[in-house]
Amino acid sequence: MATDMKHVCQTVGCDKPATLKCPVCIKLKLEDAYFCSQECFKKNWSQHKVVHDAKIKSEPHDPFKNYRYTGELRAVYPLSPRRHVPEHIMRPDYAETSIPVSEQNVRMSSTIKVLNAEEIEGMRKVCKISREVLDIGAAAIRPGITTDEIDEIIHNATIERGAYPSPLNYYQFPKSVCTSVNEVICHGIPDKRPLKDGDIVNLDVTCYYNGFHGDMNATYCVGNVDDKSKKLIDTARECLEKAIAMVKPGLRYRDFGKVIEEHAKKNGFSVVRTFTGHGINQLFHCAPNVPHYNGNKAVGIIKPGHCFTIEPMICEGHWRDEIWPDNWTAVTADGKRSAQFEHTLLVTENGVEILTK
């Protein structure tokens, strides 16, 4: 321990002169803490180290130091506090409790809702908002900005339009948008890490407005990106476009996977299997399940009035994934990059309307 001029020992009940300074406090640039002896220092350690812990947690740090990351990306905490949503904005049922009871009530059902004219108009309105919000968030992407700062921009753009950011507190997700960088496949939590030149980042925006959810995402380059990453992004976009071109009444939901995986493989990439597209309406996630890989067993036939997402996740390497200790961030198991695009789609009598275009 370091020594200094005479002070009073900080151990409770000990008023002896103290000359020893806590070395951890010096290292962390905290106010000096004095002790009269090594014995008093050790006796008070469990209480005193709380000051150190608070300081460490307030500074940018990796919260999962014992986790074996699959790639170069690291979480950077602390997360900013939960953002405020004005009281007048309509909320989904999970906004306070984090549990989407309405979804859970139909979780085991494969029945696909057919929207009526009024519900279709509700979906059009919310998807228009989601498109605007995503474009605002994308315009902020640059080297040096943190994903937490992008989250704030997207959150503010959402509530300015009278909408609720659907991810916020959905099964305790702590932010208003998913930001998935490099090897993150999906569900990345915005944090204090600045984006770097050469990164790729996916912004997944869902807004809730007047009782309906609108969901979309896209992957963007940050500054100067290598050619392989550009090809990955282009391929992911093309996979979505090819799948959308198939949509019409009578098609099976399982049929998208063959076209998506064939195009991905032709370009040297793989398709994630764990995460799928989904039905969307008054519920954030519901039937149908829309896998993106060949040979899937998805149930259901496309009919006019169905509303769902297609959102293929395409990987540079293998499609296998794992989850960070935050219980949300899905990453490629081999640490290689992943890209994704998503639209919310409405089936018409003759084809499809891209609601988030």
Side-chain angles (χ1 to χ4, degrees), residues 176-201:
S176 298
V177 64
C178 298
T179 54
S180 300
V181 180
N182 297 340
E183 67 265 27
V184 179
I185 295 170
C186 59
H187 304 156
I189 297 175
D191 64 14
K192 293 290 196 297
R193 178 190 180 273
L195 293 177
K196 299 178 181 179
D197 186 70
D199 284 345
I200 62 173
V201 59

Side-chain angles (χ1 to χ4, degrees), residues 72-270:
E72 295 182 0
L73 191 72
R74 299 291 183 270
V76 181
Y77 279 36
L79 299 182
S80 59
R82 179 173 168 178
R83 304 195 194 282
H84 174 70
V85 177
E87 290 298 323
H88 71 274
I89 290 178
M90 186 176 182
R91 290 156 162 73
D93 63 354
Y94 56 81
E96 300 304 325
T97 66
S98 82
I99 306 299
V101 175
S102 55
E103 282 187 19
Q104 293 188 344
N105 288 340
V106 296
R107 174 173 288 178
M108 303 307 294
S109 173
S110 60
T111 301
I112 303 170
K113 183 180 179 69
V114 175
L115 303 186
N116 60 36
E118 183 179 351
E119 291 170 324
I120 288 171
E121 189 56 32
M123 287 300 298
R124 287 185 176 130
K125 289 179 179 178
V126 70
C127 287
K128 181 176 183 293
I129 291 172
S130 295
R131 172 82 264 177
E132 292 174 358
V133 170
L134 178 60
D135 288 345
I136 289 169
I141 293 173
R142 57 174 173 77
I145 194 170
T146 67
T147 50
D148 183 65
E149 289 171 321
I150 293 174
D151 178 77
E152 182 177 18
I153 290 167
I154 285 175
H155 179 90
N156 290 340
T158 302
I159 63 175
E160 284 168 4
R161 287 160 176 76
Y164 181 93
S166 300
L168 187 61
N169 208 33
Y170 180 77
Y171 287 111
Q172 299 183 347
F173 189 83
K175 294 296 176 182
S176 298
V177 64
C178 298
T179 54
S180 300
V181 180
N182 297 340
E183 67 265 27
V184 179
I185 295 170
C186 59
H187 304 156
I189 297 175
D191 64 14
K192 293 290 196 297
R193 178 190 180 273
L195 293 177
K196 299 178 181 179
D197 186 70
D199 284 345
I200 62 173
V201 59
N202 178 277
L203 304 184
D204 192 343
V205 167
T206 311
C207 296
Y208 180 76
Y209 180 77
N210 200 25
F212 295 89
H213 297 272
D215 191 2
M216 71 176 306
N217 74 57
T219 303
Y220 303 92
C221 295
V222 183
N224 302 297
V225 173
D226 64 85
D227 289 341
K228 188 172 184 181
S229 293
K230 290 178 181 178
K231 183 180 179 182
L232 175 69
I233 291 172
D234 288 342
T235 300
R237 184 190 299 107
E238 291 161 3
C239 284
L240 174 60
E241 291 169 350
K242 287 179 177 294
I244 291 174
M246 298 172 62
V247 179
K248 62 181 180 180
L251 188 77
R252 299 179 302 176
Y253 279 102
R254 67 180 61 177
D255 292 337
F256 297 118
K258 182 175 186 295
V259 170
I260 291 170
E261 187 159 21
E262 282 181 354
H263 188 66
K265 283 187 173 181
K266 183 178 72 174
N267 286 278
F269 303 124
S270 65

